[in-house]
Amino acid sequence: MNARTEPAEAGPNAPARPPLVRELLLVAGLFLVYKLGRGLATGHTPEAFRNAHRVRDWERALRLPDEGTVQSLLLHGDALIRTANTYYAAVHFPATAALLVWLYLRRPAHYGWARRVLAAVTGAALVLHLLFPLAPPRMLGATGLIDTARVFGPSVYGPPSADQLSNQFAAMPSLHFGWALMLAVALIVATRSRLRWLWLLHPLVTLLVIVGTANHYWLDVLVAAALLGLALAVLRPSHRPRRAVAHRGPQARRRVAQRHRPELVGTGR
């Protein structure tokens, strides 16, 4: 799925890229705040397990599928489950970083919008992580699920009591899914290839992986999608791509040109 379906935005009316150093500091700051914020939510083990039982009850009341159905599919082969564990561990951050780099270099008009949406979703998720600590399914014996990363590898987590790098009780909402879905949305909006809708395979695979490896509940995914939908409704792309003008008639193109160059009004040029 090649997103490079058209030339990078160029020309006198192309949107300017924001200063690189500023953007690097902003993105680095976003990741740092996210990591530090997750650390603030540690130490809530009893509450996290109580919330896990609540989530299980809510899912049964909503008649959502059992997460074990997905895990049983992945457990049909060692190679398949290891691939799922690797996808969970290795794709999340690099894919999001690659999206931002590509948008910055090739679609600067969409870069700022995508960064703001990701920041909004991440900030809202951090608040929920603090207010609603949640043990993932792999920690809850009542689910009957196994910790596939610990059993088959590779694993990115150590014992929760000794893990100083991540908050394992931050299951709700799933930023793995939220960021993956935003990646697909951004590439669909920023490109014009007929195949661009195939980018939706990334959040779909991510959904199967995070549920099948017992790292998230279905409700974690639904809440992440709701937060992203709200952010997208509030934060709209500010730039209308100029390539849309090329498909208009002569009169419409002339009106657009006159808005950018008022001295042409009435000249007939």
Side-chain angles (χ1 to χ4, degrees):
M1 291 178 291
N2 187 359
R4 297 182 61 180
T5 59
E6 53 199 20
E9 294 162 339
N13 294 325
R17 294 186 182 91
L20 178 59
V21 173
R22 187 194 74 180
E23 292 305 308
L24 289 175
L25 291 175
L26 285 173
V27 174
L30 173 64
F31 281 105
L32 180 61
V33 169
Y34 171 63
K35 282 293 185 182
L36 292 176
R38 285 169 66 102
L40 293 176
T42 58
H44 299 285
T45 301
E47 184 180 0
F49 279 93
R50 285 195 299 270
N51 288 336
H53 286 287
R54 292 190 183 101
V55 168
R56 288 281 293 174
D57 291 340
W58 295 340
E59 288 191 338
R60 301 293 80 79
L62 294 172
R63 299 185 182 276
L64 294 177
D66 187 355
E67 290 85 359
T69 304
V70 180
Q71 184 169 95
S72 64
L73 295 175
L74 295 182
L75 291 175
H76 279 175
D78 288 0
L80 182 59
I81 192 62
R82 288 195 182 100
T83 300
N85 291 336
T86 302
Y87 198 94
Y88 178 85
V91 174
H92 177 48
F93 279 100
T96 307
L99 168 70
L100 291 174
V101 170
W102 186 86
L103 289 175
Y104 182 86
L105 295 176
R106 303 288 296 181
R107 299 290 183 273
H110 295 90
Y111 166 79
W113 161 71
R115 173 175 51 74
R116 289 192 298 272
V117 172
L118 284 169
V121 171
T122 303
L126 178 56
V127 172
L128 282 177
H129 293 164
L130 295 171
L131 297 177
F132 193 79
L134 178 64
R138 57 187 168 81
M139 293 184 183
L140 194 64
T143 65
L145 301 175
I146 66 172
D147 185 343
T148 61
R150 182 179 59 82
V151 175
F152 297 94
S155 176
V156 294
Y157 299 124
S161 58
D163 191 348
Q164 301 298 319
L165 297 178
S166 60
N167 172 25
Q168 297 187 46
F169 297 140
M172 171 82 76
S174 169
L175 281 179
H176 264 76
F177 181 77
W179 286 9
L181 185 57
M182 181 55 197
L183 182 149
V185 169
L187 289 173
I188 289 171
V189 170
T191 60
R192 288 296 178 269
S193 168
R194 293 180 180 179
L195 299 178
R196 68 189 186 277
W197 296 98
L198 291 177
W199 285 109
L200 290 172
L201 290 174
H202 174 51
L204 176 60
V205 172
T206 300
L207 169 62
L208 297 177
V209 164
I210 63 179
V211 173
T213 57
N215 281 290
H216 286 284
Y217 305 92
W218 295 113
L219 277 179
D220 301 339
V221 173
L222 294 177
V223 172
L227 288 179
L228 178 60
L230 180 61
L232 290 172
V234 174
L235 302 171
R236 303 288 184 87
S238 59
H239 174 72
R240 190 174 187 177
R242 291 184 301 116
R243 58 178 168 270
V245 175
H247 299 289
R248 300 177 183 175
Q251 296 295 329
R253 289 197 297 270
R254 187 177 298 114
R255 286 195 296 270
V256 173
Q258 289 170 351
R259 283 200 296 269
H260 290 283
R261 298 181 61 185
E263 68 274 12
L264 296 180
V265 177
T267 66
R269 288 186 290 171

